[in-house]
Amino acid sequence: MADILHRVGIKDSNPRAVYDALTTVDGLAAWWTRETTGSGETGRMLQFRFPPVGGFDMEVLRTLPGEQVTWKVVDGPDEWIGTTIDWKLRQDGDYTIVLFEHQGWKEPVEFMNHCSTKWAAYLLSLKSLVETGKGAPAPDDVQISDWH
Amino acid sequence: MADILHRVGIKDSNPRAVYDALTTVDGLAAWWTRETTGSGETGRMLQFRFPPVGGFDMEVLRTLPGEQVTWKVVDGPDEWIGTTIDWKLRQDGDYTIVLFEHQGWKEPVEFMNHCSTKWAAYLLSLKSLVETGKGAPAPDDVQISDWH
């Protein structure tokens, strides 16, 4: 098993604001992909689409307001199915710290390298959204390679 | 053991140009940190400094022109000492693909999350340097959190 880990700090914010960006369709659509549907509440499903290449269906496993959000991937690329995506939030001085883990990759395939870098770009989009009101969700996301 | 993985694609480039940015002091200083000294040749040492917080000393373990570069960390933060940093390069159509691995972390501590995101930002700096001639090395690097 292998995990993707990231950490960003969002300045002059608070965990509740970041939590809202992770649990509402409007929030998610403003930093990850405009084509977000479903519900971010515990036990519900979220659908993220990245035309024309596909997307992910997530079951929301856990939502602790201002503290933690956990999703399980139930549909998408084979390498993603069954993995979990976990967000932990806390306040450290002026910063809301976001600890991100995409856990349970069966093997460290090249696609995992790609997804790791791409997650970093999306986390910076989340940071920008909360700090400035403007994120960079797909299809206006940062292109990192031939795999987008 | 845990690894940090990343992948970027550098457009309209070639592996030799990226290799130069990984094996010359001028190249490294233009995307990672301006305070780079030493030599990027096999068997030599590279010193990377990030004032005021410290830095890393690397032994260059392997340099295969246009294909691969491997460093071993011999001094720096405790968590980094003994880890290896490996770069693999190849051409895929219009893109030079960079496969990056920072291997051998003893434990997935929070500092590893930070370094993973920070490596992604520096890889995008490397991509920008080779594509446009302008990177974002420290101290003008992208600030991702309270840990910089």
Side-chain angles (χ1 to χ4, degrees):
Chain A
M1 289 291 189
D3 303 333
I4 294 169
L5 310 179
H6 286 297
R7 178 189 191 275
V8 293
I10 299 177
K11 201 166 184 197
D12 298 329
S13 183
N14 63 77
R16 193 61 195 235
V18 181
Y19 179 84
D20 287 346
L22 297 175
T23 54
T24 66
V25 167
D26 285 352
L28 291 160
W31 68 265
W32 196 15
T33 178
R34 294 239 173 85
E35 296 216 18
T36 300
T37 56
S39 164
E41 293 170 34
T42 303
R44 304 286 296 278
M45 295 284 297
L46 284 163
Q47 296 85 31
F48 302 99
R49 295 293 177 269
F50 300 78
V53 295
F56 316 104
D57 288 1
M58 311 278 195
E59 179 187 351
V60 182
L61 294 186
R62 185 187 292 125
T63 51
L64 300 175
E67 289 183 27
Q68 189 175 11
V69 174
T70 311
W71 302 325
K72 180 174 185 174
V73 182
V74 297
D75 203 1
D78 283 349
E79 297 91 339
W80 279 52
I81 295 174
T83 61
T84 57
I85 293 163
D86 185 65
W87 307 82
K88 290 194 185 71
L89 310 174
R90 71 167 196 267
Q91 195 68 19
D92 265 10
D94 293 339
Y95 285 85
T96 300
I97 304 302
V98 180
L99 279 183
F100 169 93
E101 303 202 1
H102 185 172
Q103 304 159 328
W105 288 69
K106 291 194 187 90
E107 293 183 88
V109 292
E110 185 166 337
F111 183 50
M112 184 175 167
N113 292 59
H114 167 76
C115 293
S116 175
T117 314
K118 197 76 198 183
W119 271 125
Y122 284 123
L123 281 158
L124 293 175
S125 168
L126 169 65
K127 173 176 163 69
S128 173
L129 172 68
V130 179
E131 289 179 349
T132 72
K134 187 167 166 52
D140 301 315
D141 49 328
V142 174
Q143 305 297 302
I144 63 168
S145 75
D146 53 333
W147 289 354
H148 289 79
Chain B
M1 288 291 189
D3 303 333
I4 293 170
L5 310 179
H6 287 297
R7 178 189 190 275
V8 294
I10 299 177
K11 201 167 183 196
D12 297 330
S13 183
N14 62 76
R16 192 61 195 237
V18 181
Y19 179 84
D20 287 346
L22 297 175
T23 55
T24 65
V25 167
D26 285 352
L28 291 160
W31 68 265
W32 197 13
T33 177
R34 294 239 173 85
E35 296 216 18
T36 300
T37 55
S39 164
E41 293 170 34
T42 302
R44 303 287 294 277
M45 294 286 295
L46 284 164
Q47 294 86 29
F48 303 99
R49 294 293 177 271
F50 301 77
V53 295
F56 316 105
D57 289 0
M58 311 278 193
E59 179 186 351
V60 182
L61 293 186
R62 185 188 291 125
T63 51
L64 300 174
E67 289 181 30
Q68 190 175 9
V69 173
T70 311
W71 302 325
K72 181 174 183 172
V73 182
V74 297
D75 204 1
D78 284 349
E79 297 91 337
W80 278 52
I81 294 174
T83 61
T84 56
I85 292 164
D86 185 65
W87 307 82
K88 289 193 184 72
L89 311 174
R90 70 167 195 269
Q91 195 67 18
D92 265 8
D94 293 340
Y95 286 84
T96 301
I97 304 302
V98 180
L99 279 183
F100 169 93
E101 303 200 2
H102 185 172
Q103 304 159 329
W105 287 70
K106 289 193 188 91
E107 293 184 88
V109 291
E110 185 167 337
F111 183 50
M112 184 174 167
N113 292 60
H114 166 76
C115 292
S116 176
T117 314
K118 198 74 197 183
W119 271 125
Y122 284 123
L123 281 158
L124 294 175
S125 168
L126 169 64
K127 173 177 163 68
S128 174
L129 172 68
V130 179
E131 289 179 348
T132 72
K134 186 166 168 52
D140 301 316
D141 49 328
V142 174
Q143 304 298 303
I144 64 168
S145 75
D146 54 333
W147 289 354
H148 290 81

